[in-house]
Amino acid sequence: MLSLYDLTVEQRTEPFGLDERHPAFSWKLRSEKKNVIQASYRVLVMDHAETVWDSGVVKSAKSIFVTCEADLKACTSYTWQVTVSDGTETAEACSSFEIGLMNGSVFKEHAGWITHSFPREETACPVFTKTFCAGRQVRKARLYATALGIYEAQLNGKPVTDGRGESYFAPGWTNYKKRLQYQTYPVELNEGLNELSFTVGKGWYCGKLGFDPTPNLYGDQTALLAMLMIDYADGTKEVIGTDDTWQVCTGTVRFSEIYDGETQDTLSETHPCTTAVSYEYGFDTIVAQENEPVRCLTKLQPQRTFTTPAGELVYDFGQNLTGWTEVTVTGSAGQKIVLHHAESLDENGNFYTGNLSFAKAQDVYILNGRKQSLRPHFTFHGFRYIKVEGLKEGQSAEFTACHLSTDLVQTGTFECSDKRVNRLQQNIQWSQRDNYLDIPTDCPQRSERLGWTGDATAYTPTAAFNENIYPFMKKWLRDLISEQTPQTGMPQVVPNIMGDGQSGAAFWGDAATAVPWTIYRTYGDCRILADQFESMKIWVDFITSKCGENGLWQSGFQYGDWLGLDAETNGLSEPRKGATDDYFAANACYLRSLQITADTARLLGKTEEEEHYRSLYDQVLAAFREEYVTKTGRLVCETQTAMVLALHFNLAEEKHRARIASMLKTNIEAHKTHLVTGFIGTPYACSVLTECGMHELAGKLLLQEQNPGWLYEVNMGATTIWERWDSILPDGRFNPANMNSLNHYAYGSIGTWLYTKLAGLEILEPGYKKFSVHPRFFKGIEWVKLSYESVYGLIRTEWKCQDGKIRLEIEVPANTSAVLTLPEKEETIELGSGIYVYEYDTETSLHLDRYSMEMPLRLMMEHPVGKAMMNQYMPEMAENKLIEYVINEPITALLAYAPQAQPLYEMIIAAMNASEQ
Ligand code: BGC
């Protein structure tokens, strides 16, 4: 039977307070029949019984982003119904949405900005209250609110929610001078007396921000703007807006800063109220919230409580996360409890806060003598461990970690036969959620937490698989536009708190082209390209304006291959950059951005602009080859990243590809099968290898357990992705570099390779309307399962190669098609929707023993079984001081000195492998 599900408006389910005059509808078809394609659809939009838009029956397969052509009214709830046919059956479903104010300046008619007149030195957060009487029966009530700062609202003592649970950090982070979001909440009033209250923290608006934490970046005073619109059952209306009849006092939150934490004094609940003060602030920048809000997604209990060697009482939640800790405790009145947050212990097992820069990450509670459950309101921390001070001997207290993130729908899952790779995938997903807190941040723990654009360029393709990031990125891309100027091209962080002193840097600025392109390809919404086209142009035109006579970008500041490991450590080079020539990388990225801009112009039908950017592309490419590729096909910069970029972005002539690919292989082998790439090279390295026929080598890099490598982190106990390949050194010490977070997602970009090359799912037509599945094998992974909830429906692919059989199962959602390449078969198969299973014989075995003669001696010496056997059978070797010179050599290399030891090594390796089974 044909049915419909997942009806969304602007990719959100039953959204409230949408300010799109012509919102776009999407739905998904489900059917157990094969080859189902939508033949026609009809959408009706209704305001109660009145039809405001009828698309009519449209013969089309379009089932995503169908835009409503009627002009919708502000503050109105609509239902919408869609009926589709696949040519034989029909299906119908309906859903709803509500339009917001449509124009933020409507606030002005009913409400005014209010603030407090606390003395300057007062750090407590203001609590604004209004008591009012709803004298008649209420039909519908909506609260619209925003603040300069961040707010939490309560109605009659209960948190105001959007109907789906509590949300935090409203109104979110934007450049408040240009865009200030308001939120819409459905509320239920008491018939009679009601009390509405708002606590407002400094948040991003006037709290301290940046690596040199600076307050008041947007203004120096918190303020509130709210209006409650009440429709009574008798047809009358009333609006309660913020004005100078509201009261303001200080409450229990005595201090709150995002980086430093929060202090609550629960003994100081009642403070004398004064009248709120009107505040001069405009209304013109107010826009509806576009993104899903931040919520608590999960709660974790401590897995272990212990006292460290330094005598600290520590709770371990077993997972590095972004959020805060809830404490439930009965204390004595006035008792002070302090919670410190950290991502890690140090090498001695003590609580480690050395990587928090200036962030204090500390919450302080003064208890009131009764049983209390407390949590902070206007701060968040990046932590796995808390250190608790102030508990009395024997006093019991419960601590729960609340994981906070923008509430996005999880769309992707990936699992395979190697549990270490599965932990890596979990780490990727954790770091994504941890850093998607209203904006895409770099890290959640130190005094930074900024919207670094380069991190977004590196990671967005992986993110778009894991969660439906459409609403999140739509909002952030509007932030990005709001921060661009032709003079600087692109800021390095969005929202831009660094001012216009810093202009666009390659790869970081490419977020302007690469992110919207990924969103378009993943979700199939061309409107995002139309919205971002001018922004793309600003960025590439900025670069063009910086190019010299040779047509290349070779001046100005660059981050380069950030955190790459191949730079000389001679004190002359920037120690945080890899060895790749800054401008080689910059021009490679420039070419990619030009290509996206030209492709976007084509899709938007902007022929002249397309021609302009295409011919510019050709000129820059020719100049690039002249400057950076020799006549015989060598690159003047032969780092891994340079070769990866040349191959990934097709920068060298076709005839030179093979040579560059082989140089890349040689380079990786010279690094003993390690990547030394930074932010620019890493996202594409494994994909390039697979595309150049070196999938097995890409697989070895994935499974590399020695530093640097993804599984090195996993083996070191990482529960999120680290900022540096070696954030924790092999001896357990923290990398002493001052910039060292354990929760950065850039290197999580390997996720894209897991999904597109190992599971083999790639987009052929935007939105996965058509996709390919091409699983590829390498030794060590015997099965893979992937699922992805696309805008058309669930895509699933599972392969297994075990016991002489290959089995592949693939699910193609209705209204899409797929091209399947079966492993070890030549032909490709075109598939319509449905579930398909293939099973056939093979001689291939993908089984791989974990330990082999290729492993470095160090691994054997560190493995419990290896170590014990070495002590037993070759004690002279274990104690030899010279061993440190060969400890990182593969065992095969050691055989040159002592071939007679081969059987002994083989025996130890066999025992090590047996111990893992
Ligand atoms: C951030 C990075 C960012 C970089 C810019 C760091 O402090 O954490 O992820 O991209 O600065 O170089």
Side-chain angles (χ1 to χ4, degrees), residues 211 442 446 448 452 455 508 559 562 679 723 739 744:
F211 19 59
D442 56 336
R446 67 172 176 240
E448 213 167 324
W452 282 100
D455 306 43
W508 272 248
Y559 286 108
W562 190 246
F679 275 32
E723 177 171 22
M739 203 191 62
H744 249 66

